[in-house]
Amino acid sequence: RSIVEVMERWMMQQFEQQAETLDEEESHMTKAHMARLLSDQGMYEEAMALEEQILAHFKKTLPEHHPNIGLAMSNLAISYRHCERYHQALALHQEALAIFQKSLEPNDRCIGQEYGNMGACYHGLRNASECLRLHKQALQWRRQNLNPDDPAIGMALFSVAAAYAVSSQPE
């Protein structure tokens, strides 16, 4: 853990030094990479702080339904989910899905992923019926839009099975 802490401090120092020479877009892309690294390390609170900055920047600088706003919302929502802030995560995933449906092709992967992400929120909220409904919807979307051997279909099948297992357990 101490090695990770030293690396984190070093990375933040490097980021702060580079941020002085980066333009605003490069700075936010660097923040996005940093947030991903922090999230991968389980440092969700730190990742959320960066993701909130990125989302605010995109909302200020991009058109209302730009896909990057949806991606920023989805990334922030995933961090919220890891911190068990399911209601906030669900609202962001729903908003991201609406953006993706307006701005992307109907077969874009982001759409199918958001159905699964919302199902995961309902799983955390212990709403088995909505969890199952959304995971089935994600599976249906993936079967219609992806190659039959795409691993995302297997992941959706697993999520549906897990939702069935949760819904069949007595409360």
Side-chain angles (χ1 to χ4, degrees):
R1 179 71 191 148
S2 62
I3 292 172
V4 171
E5 289 173 3
V6 169
M7 289 300 297
E8 290 167 5
R9 283 193 300 273
W10 178 82
M11 287 177 13
M12 291 306 289
Q13 288 171 347
Q14 293 299 310
F15 172 72
E16 289 169 4
Q17 288 173 358
Q18 287 184 356
E20 296 171 6
T21 63
L22 299 175
D23 68 25
E24 195 170 13
E25 283 307 308
E26 290 173 324
S27 174
H28 282 87
M29 293 309 293
T30 302
K31 285 180 184 179
H33 291 298
M34 180 68 82
R36 171 75 103 198
L37 290 171
L38 291 168
S39 183
D40 289 346
Q41 294 297 316
M43 301 174 69
Y44 305 115
E45 295 290 336
E46 294 87 346
M48 281 188 291
L50 291 174
E51 290 163 344
E52 287 168 349
Q53 291 174 22
I54 294 162
L55 179 56
H57 169 74
F58 284 164
K59 283 184 169 184
K60 183 174 67 174
T61 61
L62 296 174
E64 184 179 2
H65 293 98
H66 195 283
N68 285 353
I69 295 173
L71 288 171
M73 287 177 171
S74 187
N75 289 339
L76 177 57
I78 290 168
S79 292
Y80 281 165
R81 221 173 57 225
H82 284 296
C83 293
E84 299 181 2
R85 293 164 63 174
Y86 300 114
H87 290 288
Q88 290 173 290
L90 182 59
L92 282 174
H93 282 308
Q94 290 168 334
E95 197 172 345
L97 177 61
I99 289 172
F100 293 149
Q101 289 173 327
K102 290 178 184 175
S103 64
L104 300 174
E105 294 295 320
N107 63 345
D108 192 285
R109 283 182 173 279
C110 291
I111 295 170
Q113 288 171 343
E114 285 311 298
Y115 289 124
N117 286 335
M118 289 186 299
C121 289
Y122 280 112
H123 177 88
L125 291 168
R126 302 198 188 318
N127 184 331
S129 62
E130 279 301 297
C131 174
L132 180 58
R133 182 185 70 78
L134 282 158
H135 282 307
K136 282 182 174 181
Q137 194 169 359
L139 176 60
Q140 178 183 2
W141 185 95
R142 289 173 178 175
R143 282 184 167 158
Q144 290 173 348
N145 292 286
L146 302 176
N147 291 327
D149 59 345
D150 192 300
I153 293 174
M155 291 173 61
L157 284 166
F158 177 83
S159 295
V160 168
Y164 271 121
V166 169
S167 68
S168 67
Q169 292 177 351
E171 294 190 28

